[in-house]
């Protein structure tokens, strides 16, 4: 056999190197889709993920959850992500240049579809740092969207029909936070009556083009977890449940508890989806109306068409994910 010219060998090495470098990071996706055929992209609709209580520099199971968020985002051809708050532990961020933006967010959620918009709520731990920095980061990041402490997005689903998405700030309504303004910075500067009026004004929109109403906040209306009997949970339910029921809100997505729960009270319209298992976990539990409750690492995925919302609970394991529960809401 003839000896190869040294430059030919070099050429093969270069081609091999670039071929490896250009291989799609999701090259095993078809196999993954086949293995998890129970979750599918919507036809004539949108899809999104919900995660909370996650920002821990990749510790606990944050990296595994982020990995699986990317895979599910690819399967569903995802449109956006919702964060229900406690975006940075233990005390928020100090500025838009805080290294936690990289260690807990930018360098963790790297899949290209996780660079679609993130609609972000504030949690109590975020109030221990600079809330304004998280708002200002919206002007720096192409995906981080927190234009204010609470805001609205109207998102087209299909053929001129819309999802009304309200991201609210539940923190100023918690009495114990307001009693400790040295810890929860600027908490007493927030006008809760003004926010309530804003929420009611937005939800009162009866435009027939709006076919779904979803509200996102940090604190749960109900929980079977650690804070089941806490005053903050009772207060959140007392304040917000009547408003959500009055305006026939379809879903309330929240966190605060470090687990995954779905609760539908028998005499209420709104279904609550609690997705707070983005990193550290705490023991969960069930109450009246609990459809699902587990303290496992993971998140929730949703598909939405003009007449059906499907919700999937995703558990992140060491090397792969598992769909451990699913439910739906029909119009």
């Amino acid at each position: 056999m003839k000896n190869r010219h040294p430059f030919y060998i070099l050429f093969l090495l270069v081609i091999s190197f670039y071929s490896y470098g250009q291989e799609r990071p999701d090259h095993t996706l078809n196999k993954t889709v086949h293995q998890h055929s129970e979750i599918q992209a919507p036809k004539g609709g949108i899809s999104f993920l919900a995660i909370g209580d996650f920002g821990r520099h990749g510790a606990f199971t944050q990296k595994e959850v982020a990995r699986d968020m990317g895979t599910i985002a690819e399967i569903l051809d995802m449109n956006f992500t919702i964060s229900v708050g406690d975006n940075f532990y233990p005390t928020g961020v100090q500025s838009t240049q805080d290294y936690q933006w990289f260690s807990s967010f930018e360098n963790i959620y790297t899949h290209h579809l996780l660079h679609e918009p993130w609609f972000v709520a504030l949690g109590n731990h975020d109030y221990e740092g600079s809330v304004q920095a998280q708002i200002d980061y919206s002007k720096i990041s192409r995906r981080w969207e927190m234009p204010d402490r609470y805001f609205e997005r109207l998102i087209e689903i299909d053929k001129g029909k819309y999802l009304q998405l309200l991201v609210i700030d539940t923190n100023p309504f918690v009495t114990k936070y307001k009693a400790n303004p040295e810890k929860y910075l600027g908490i007493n500067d927030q006008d809760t009556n003004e926010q309530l009026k804003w929420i009611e004004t937005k939800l009162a929109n009866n435009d027939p083009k709006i076919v779904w109403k979803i509200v996102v906040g940090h604190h749960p209306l109900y929980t079977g977890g650690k804070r089941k009997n806490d005053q903050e949970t009772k207060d959140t339910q007392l304040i917000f449940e009547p408003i959500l029921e009055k305006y026939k809100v379809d879903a309330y997505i929240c966190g605060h508890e470090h687990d995954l729960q779905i609760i539908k009270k028998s005499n209420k319209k709104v279904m609550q989806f609690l997705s707070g298992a983005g990193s550290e976990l705490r023991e969960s539990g069930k109450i009246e109306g609990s459809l699902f409750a587990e303290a496992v690492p993971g998140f929730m995925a949703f598909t939405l068409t003009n007449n059906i919302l499907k919700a999937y609970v995703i558990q992140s394991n060491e090397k792969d994910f598992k769909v451990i529960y699913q439910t739906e809401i029909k119009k």
Side-chain angles (χ1 to χ4, degrees), residues 14 29 67 71 85 99 109-110 163 167-168 171 216 222 240 254 277 298 309 329:
V14 170
L29 178 64
R67 174 202 66 203
T71 304
Y99 187 69
Y109 305 98
T110 56
L163 158 66
V167 179
I168 66 174
N171 298 281
V216 177
Y222 336 101
F240 292 106
C254 60
L309 178 151
I329 303 173

Side-chain angles (χ1 to χ4, degrees), residues 12-275:
L12 291 179
L13 289 173
V14 170
I15 291 297
S16 175
F17 173 81
Y18 276 101
S19 295
Y20 174 79
Q22 296 301 312
E23 185 176 34
R24 283 171 59 89
D26 54 354
H27 63 280
T28 61
L29 178 64
N30 289 336
K31 178 181 178 182
T32 300
V33 172
H34 178 73
Q35 291 174 338
H36 300 281
S37 58
E38 69 271 37
I39 183 167
Q40 298 179 356
K43 296 180 180 179
I46 60 174
S47 63
F48 59 95
L49 309 181
I51 184 177
D53 305 85
F54 59 83
R56 292 185 181 273
H57 313 281
F60 298 96
T61 56
Q62 188 185 6
K63 289 182 178 179
E64 288 78 8
V65 172
R67 174 202 66 203
D68 295 336
M69 287 173 65
T71 304
I72 294 294
E74 188 82 30
I75 292 172
L76 295 182
D77 193 20
M78 186 203 74
N79 298 89
F80 58 90
T81 297
I82 288 171
S83 168
V84 300
D86 278 0
N87 308 308
F88 301 98
Y89 286 93
T91 53
V93 291
Q94 297 305 307
S95 72
T96 58
Q97 304 304 311
D98 195 313
Y99 187 69
Q100 290 183 92
W101 288 108
F102 298 97
S103 64
S104 289
F105 182 63
E106 299 290 1
N107 292 344
I108 303 295
Y109 305 98
T110 56
H111 190 281
H112 69 95
L113 281 175
L114 297 183
H115 285 260
E116 295 298 321
W118 283 58
F119 301 126
V120 185
L122 290 164
N124 50 293
H125 284 274
D126 301 310
Y127 260 90
E128 295 185 49
S130 172
V131 168
Q132 190 60 48
Q134 294 201 36
I135 294 172
D136 291 343
Y137 198 71
S138 302
K139 301 173 185 176
I140 297 174
S141 170
R142 296 176 65 97
R143 56 174 164 168
W144 185 272
E145 294 202 21
M146 186 193 290
D148 211 329
R149 293 171 192 254
Y150 50 91
F151 58 95
E152 176 192 38
R153 287 290 183 270
L154 293 176
I155 302 166
E156 187 172 18
I157 301 168
D158 187 43
K159 297 178 180 178
K161 299 297 184 181
Y162 287 83
L163 158 66
Q164 181 186 40
L165 181 71
L166 292 192
V167 179
I168 66 174
D169 182 6
T170 56
N171 298 281
F173 297 89
V174 178
T175 303
K176 70 177 184 180
Y177 300 165
K178 299 185 76 171
N180 192 359
E182 293 80 13
K183 181 177 182 180
Y184 301 101
L185 306 178
I187 196 79
N188 286 332
D189 297 332
Q190 308 312 308
D191 188 334
T192 53
N193 288 327
E194 181 179 339
Q195 184 179 173
L196 288 175
K197 289 178 183 178
W198 179 88
I199 293 170
E200 293 221 39
T201 299
K202 292 298 183 181
L203 291 178
N205 186 347
N206 292 320
D207 189 331
K209 293 180 180 178
I210 297 175
V211 293
W212 292 94
K213 295 186 177 186
I214 295 178
V215 175
V216 177
H218 184 60
H219 294 83
L221 305 174
Y222 336 101
T223 175
K226 174 184 176 181
R227 298 180 171 92
K228 177 170 60 176
N229 297 314
D230 285 9
Q231 190 61 44
E232 64 190 77
T233 304
K234 296 176 182 177
D235 288 345
T236 302
Q237 179 182 352
L238 182 66
I239 295 166
F240 292 106
E241 184 188 63
I243 297 174
L244 303 186
E245 290 296 306
K246 177 180 177 180
Y247 295 103
K248 297 179 172 57
V249 170
D250 299 287
Y252 178 61
I253 304 177
C254 60
H256 198 43
E257 297 280 52
H258 295 188
D259 58 13
L260 300 165
Q261 299 182 51
I262 300 177
I263 299 174
K264 174 67 168 66
K265 295 287 186 177
S266 58
N267 61 339
K268 302 298 179 184
K269 174 178 173 56
V270 67
M271 185 178 292
Q272 177 186 278
F273 299 90
L274 194 160
S275 183

